Amino acid sequence: AKQLVHEEASAAGCVASNVPDRVDDEVVQVLRFGPPQGDDEIDEDTELEEEELHERVSQVFDSIATGQQGRMQVMLRASDLKRFAANTARLRDKKLEETMMETLDRIYDETLELQVDMGSRYTRGITCDYFQVFLIKTANVLGWSLSALLMEWGKNIERNKKEEGSSETGPR
């Protein structure tokens, strides 16, 4: 049954991944990144929101990802993930706890596994395309919406640009 869900999700242009569940051992989570297929009359505001969402995800990714695999920029586990976690905790004036770091490690692993399962040849880190999946799962764990997480990161990136004249540090 899970394989069927994966196949149908892929055919519909979605991304499916197995995630742990409290009731069953695992469930299949399906994420859609664009408008429903076959919907020719997409509202212009919706497309603008999607473009802005992708732009904000890229902005956060560019401020965090320091790895390279070939010509592709990737988010590395050790340095980039730890910096992302610490900076995200600071967004809400919280201390980074070990349990949160463990959770983000698990989300990172799941996202990288999904990226590879979907046929990516990039295996050393998460690419920008799959960073959005990572952010969605992270926002859910934190109890935030993806938009709220991206807005907070964006504000801090802009603030740091003004303070330091560069966008490489992320939130403080």
Side-chain angles (χ1 to χ4, degrees):
K2 289 180 186 176
Q3 183 61 32
L4 180 61
V5 172
H6 280 272
E7 290 170 4
E8 290 298 317
S10 180
C14 299
V15 176
S17 60
N18 293 336
V19 295
D21 184 47
R22 292 181 185 152
V23 178
D24 298 322
D25 289 337
E26 277 188 338
V27 296
V28 179
Q29 181 180 30
V30 179
L31 301 171
R32 178 181 300 281
F33 294 109
Q37 288 185 341
D39 192 355
D40 295 332
E41 296 182 25
I42 304 294
D43 185 5
E44 261 186 58
D45 292 337
T46 303
E47 283 196 40
L48 182 62
E49 289 173 9
E50 290 171 16
E51 286 178 26
E52 184 177 348
L53 177 73
H54 182 70
E55 193 174 296
R56 288 180 185 264
V57 168
S58 296
Q59 180 185 34
V60 175
F61 180 80
D62 290 342
S63 73
I64 288 294
T66 62
Q68 284 293 123
Q69 183 174 344
R71 295 182 190 168
M72 180 65 72
Q73 183 178 7
V74 295
M75 178 184 176
L76 300 174
R77 167 190 293 286
S79 57
D80 297 344
L81 181 61
K82 186 167 184 163
R83 192 172 72 235
F84 172 83
N87 290 337
T88 300
R90 281 188 221 123
L91 290 175
R92 299 287 179 152
D93 296 323
K94 303 230 179 205
K95 182 180 173 188
L96 178 60
E97 298 175 10
E98 186 64 32
T99 56
M100 181 55 65
M101 193 64 213
E102 290 170 3
T103 301
L104 291 177
D105 272 333
R106 181 183 49 77
I107 293 171
Y108 181 94
D109 288 340
E110 290 171 0
T111 306
L112 184 58
E113 182 180 339
L114 174 65
Q115 175 180 300
V116 172
D117 287 349
M118 294 300 289
S120 175
R121 61 189 177 127
Y122 300 104
T123 58
R124 293 185 54 207
I126 297 173
T127 64
C128 188
D129 291 337
Y130 286 88
F131 184 65
Q132 183 170 343
V133 174
F134 174 80
L135 287 178
I136 290 168
K137 290 181 175 188
T138 299
N140 286 338
V141 165
L142 297 173
W144 300 348
S145 70
L146 176 60
S147 297
L149 180 61
L150 290 171
M151 294 292 281
E152 289 298 316
W153 263 91
K155 287 178 196 175
N156 284 291
I157 289 170
E158 289 303 315
R159 190 175 313 132
N160 286 339
K161 278 183 183 178
K162 290 177 185 174
E163 290 175 4
E164 299 175 8
S166 114
S167 65
E168 297 179 343
T169 59
R172 292 205 161 188

